[in-house]
Each structure stands twice: as structure tokens, then as C-alpha cells.
């Protein structure tokens, strides 16, 4: 009987056959467009393509030029600063807001909407709004000085040493609400019995979060981390809307470098090399996430 039942089952390849057939167009799209485009970009990054692609290979010349360019170095430094503080502050502030929301406070839906609303705005709108807020002539500095503090100075977008922090403020304002919602969903997935057991054992709430809840939310944190990191690598709109890369090249980022060289400087080879370095950065983020999410789960 067991043998008959076993032979009556469809093979693994034929299970959910209709779903697999329906996914073929998307799989072909992913392979042909995304994978094909990626390979094409990497291959042509080793050429001296200018206005149009041409298969005249120059080895690593484009990469040597890239890493010798002060503008690229500045953009990498800015990305590192922006990325580090965005990861830290968005996760910390997002988790604190999620923990507060998880206390079943009054008007929770209203507060959740308010915190999430900035994420519904485009990055261009956010950048323009914060450009106005941080403008020393009619923004925060002007308001504070009008209140009597005439020596107060707050003009990060006009100071080359701290301009990236002005961009960071706008990025945190827009993205922290999404992080809060993701972590709040993770908190709502924690079994109520765990909270009851912690209270019965007399464990302080901060220890419950730190040693019990946060470790249980590991998959949520990993997914949130990947979402934040992918947004960091491709940051472009905020910079263009707020500073256009200025003062000088002080707020340049890799995505803007790629765009400028490919579509304005008409140097496709250099743009392809820069975009390939961005691809490597994304791979560094995605591969560990895939291993932690799928490799670790399979092993467990």
C-alpha cells in the first residue's frame, strides 16, 4: 500500500506545474534583462566606450582611472558615512518607535500613519522640502535667529565639511517610518505567552527585549537590514534635489557619479566601471543575507 501511494504521487518537478508555467515569463525576464544587462555592463566596463558602446578592450584602465578620481573617492567616503549612520539610527530609532507602538497606545493607527507618511513621498519631494528647511535664509537658522539667538548657525547644506549630514537628516526622516513598521510587524509576531512568562519570572522589560525578543526577530532584522542597505547604495534623488552634489563635489555619491559619466560626460566605459563597483557592493550585501536566510535555515 505504501509503495502504491508513493508511486501515485507526482514527482517534485511536476508539483504545482501550473504555477511554474505561469512564472516562466518572469524567469525569462529576470534572466534575459537583469542577468543579461548585468553581464553586458561588466563586460563593457573593460572597454573604452564613450558616447556609444564599442568592444575595444583596455583591460583595467577604466578601474584604475576610477580609483584615481578624487570625485569617486569622495563619493565612496560619503556613501560610507551616510550608510553607517543610516543603518544605526534607522534601526535604533525604528525599533524604539516600534516598541512604543507595541504597547497598545491610544491613536496607534494615527501615529503609525504619521510616521509612515514620509515614505510615501518621492525622494525628490523630500529633498526639496529639506532643502528649504535647512536653508539659512528662511529655514531653521532663520527661525531660531528671529527668536533672539542671533549667533545660532545651522547650514549643513552649505558647509562642505558636514553637507552629507544634511542629506542624512532627510534620509532618516523619510525611511525610519518604514523600518518602524517592519519591526512592529515582527514584534506583533512574538507569542504573547513569552511576554507573560517573562513577567512571571520578574525579568525587566529591557532585558526581555534585549535577550529574548530581539534574538527571536533575527529574520525580520536581517530583511530590514537588506532593505536599508540596498536603499543606501542607490541613494541619488536626495542628493540631486538637495545639493546637486555640492558644494563643489562635497556631497557626491556613487549613483550620481555613474549617471553623470554615462549621460552627461558621455563616457560609458567609466560609468560602466563605477556601476560594476556598485554591483559588487550590492553582492556583498545580498550574498550574506541569502546565506543567513536560506543556507542557515536549510542547515537547521
Amino acid at each position: 500500500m505504501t509503495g502504491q501511494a508513493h508511486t501515485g504521487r507526482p514527482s517534485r518537478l511536476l508539483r504545482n506545474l501550473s504555477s511554474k508555467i505561469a512564472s516562466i515569463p518572469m524567469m525569462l525576464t529576470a534572466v534575459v534583462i537583469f542577468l543579461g544587462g548585468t553581464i553586458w555592463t561588466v563586460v563593457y566596463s573593460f572597454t573604452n566606450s564613450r558616447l556609444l558602446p564599442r568592444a575595444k578592450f583596455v583591460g583595467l584602465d577604466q578601474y584604475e582611472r576610477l580609483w584615481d578620481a578624487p570625485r569617486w573617492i569622495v563619493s565612496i567616503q560619503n556613501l560610507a558615512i551616510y550608510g553607517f549612520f543610516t543603518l544605526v539610527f534607522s534601526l535604533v530609532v525604528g525599533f524604539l518607535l516600534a516598541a512604543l507602538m507595541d504597547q497598545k497606545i491610544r491613536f496607534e493607527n494615527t501615529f503609525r500613519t504619521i510616521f509612515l507618511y514620509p515614505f510615501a513621498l518621492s525622494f525628490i519631494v523630500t529633498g526639496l522640502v529639506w532643502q528649504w528647511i535647512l536653508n539659512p535664509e528662511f529655514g531653521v537658522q532663520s527661525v531660531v535667529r528671529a527668536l533672539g539667538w542671533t549667533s545660532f548657525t545651522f547650514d549643513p547644506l552649505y558647509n562642505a565639511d558636514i553637507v552629507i549630514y544634511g542629506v542624512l537628516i532627510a534620509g532618516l526622516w523619510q525611511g525610519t517610518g518604514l523600518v518602524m513598521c517592519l519591526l512592529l510587524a515582527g514584534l506583533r509576531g512574538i507569542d504573547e505567552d513569552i511576554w507573560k512568562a517573562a513577567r512571571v519570572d520578574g525579568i525587566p522589560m529591557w532585558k526581555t527585549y534585549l535577550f529574548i525578543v530581539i534574538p527571536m526577530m533575527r529574520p525580520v532584522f536581517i530583511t530590514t537590514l537588506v532593505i536599508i542597505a540596498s536603499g543606501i547604495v542607490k541613494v541619488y534623488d536626495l542628493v540631486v534635489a538637495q545639493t546637486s552634489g555640492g558644494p563643489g563635489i562635497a556631497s557626491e555619491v556613487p549613483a550620481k557619479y555613474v549617471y553623470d559619466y554615462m549621460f552627461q560626460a558621455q563616457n560609458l566605459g567609466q560609468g560602466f566601471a563605477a556601476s560594476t563597483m556598485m554591483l559588487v557592493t550590492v553582492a556583498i550585501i545580498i550574498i550574506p543575507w541569502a546565506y543567513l536566510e536560506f543556507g542557515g535555515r536549510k542547515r537547521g
Side-chain angles (χ1 to χ4, degrees):
M1 289 287 290
T2 308
Q4 289 178 353
H6 180 72
T7 54
R9 289 179 186 170
S11 67
R12 174 173 280 185
L13 185 64
L14 296 177
R15 288 178 195 167
N16 301 319
L17 186 59
S18 58
S19 301
K20 291 176 180 176
I21 293 173
S23 66
I24 287 175
M26 182 55 67
M27 291 168 63
L28 289 174
T29 302
V31 171
V32 174
I33 296 179
F34 296 118
L35 185 58
T38 299
I39 294 171
W40 189 84
T41 300
V42 173
V43 169
Y44 276 87
S45 70
F46 296 100
T47 68
N48 65 345
S49 300
R50 302 293 294 182
L51 177 61
L52 296 172
R54 55 178 176 175
K56 185 178 179 181
F57 291 92
V58 292
L60 296 174
D61 284 4
Q62 295 289 3
Y63 291 93
E64 291 174 2
R65 243 181 250 131
L66 179 69
W67 288 101
D68 285 338
R71 184 178 173 187
W72 175 254
I73 301 301
V74 169
S75 71
I76 292 296
Q77 291 171 345
N78 284 337
L79 187 68
I81 294 170
Y82 180 87
F84 174 78
F85 286 106
T86 297
L87 280 174
V88 171
F89 282 109
S90 61
L91 281 174
V92 171
V93 176
F95 183 78
L96 291 175
L97 290 174
L100 289 172
M101 289 290 179
D102 197 40
Q103 305 306 310
K104 308 296 190 296
I105 62 173
R106 293 181 64 188
F107 308 113
E108 177 192 330
N109 291 337
T110 303
F111 284 115
R112 193 166 54 203
T113 302
I114 291 171
F115 287 130
L116 189 58
Y117 175 74
F119 189 74
L121 300 175
S122 73
F123 284 103
I124 293 293
V125 172
T126 298
L128 291 174
V129 168
W130 279 95
Q131 183 191 57
W132 180 85
I133 292 173
L134 299 177
N135 189 302
E137 293 184 6
F138 42 80
V140 173
Q141 177 177 297
S142 176
V143 172
V144 174
R145 286 186 177 184
L147 294 174
W149 287 278
T150 54
S151 62
F152 178 79
T153 301
F154 187 67
D155 57 348
L157 298 185
Y158 298 85
N159 186 334
D161 294 328
I162 59 172
V163 63
I164 193 63
Y165 298 100
V167 178
L168 175 66
I169 292 169
L172 289 173
W173 179 79
Q174 180 159 29
T176 303
L178 174 66
V179 176
M180 178 206 73
C181 287
L182 292 171
L183 297 180
L184 180 60
L187 286 172
R188 293 285 162 84
I190 301 295
D191 196 334
E192 189 65 31
D193 291 339
I194 293 172
W195 295 104
K196 291 178 182 177
R199 283 194 291 268
V200 169
D201 292 341
I203 302 174
M205 183 171 286
W206 68 270
K207 282 190 175 181
T208 304
Y209 276 110
L210 194 59
F211 298 110
I212 300 174
V213 173
I214 290 178
M216 293 181 67
M217 291 176 60
R218 175 177 160 273
V220 178
F221 272 104
I222 292 173
T223 301
T224 304
L225 192 68
V226 170
I227 292 172
I228 298 170
S230 62
I232 290 168
V233 172
K234 63 184 182 182
V235 62
Y236 170 80
D237 314 58
L238 277 178
V239 174
V240 171
Q242 284 188 276
T243 66
S244 294
I249 59 170
S251 59
E252 286 287 335
V253 288
K256 186 174 182 299
Y257 184 96
V258 171
Y259 179 86
D260 287 349
Y261 269 86
M262 290 182 71
F263 300 105
Q264 293 184 359
Q266 297 178 354
N267 190 339
L268 288 179
Q270 185 70 184
F272 289 150
S275 59
T276 300
M277 296 310 302
M278 291 181 65
L279 174 66
V280 170
T281 306
V282 172
I284 291 171
I285 296 166
I286 294 295
I287 291 172
W289 168 77
Y291 174 77
L292 290 170
E293 276 293 285
F294 304 109
R297 187 184 300 171
K298 207 177 277 187
R299 191 175 60 241

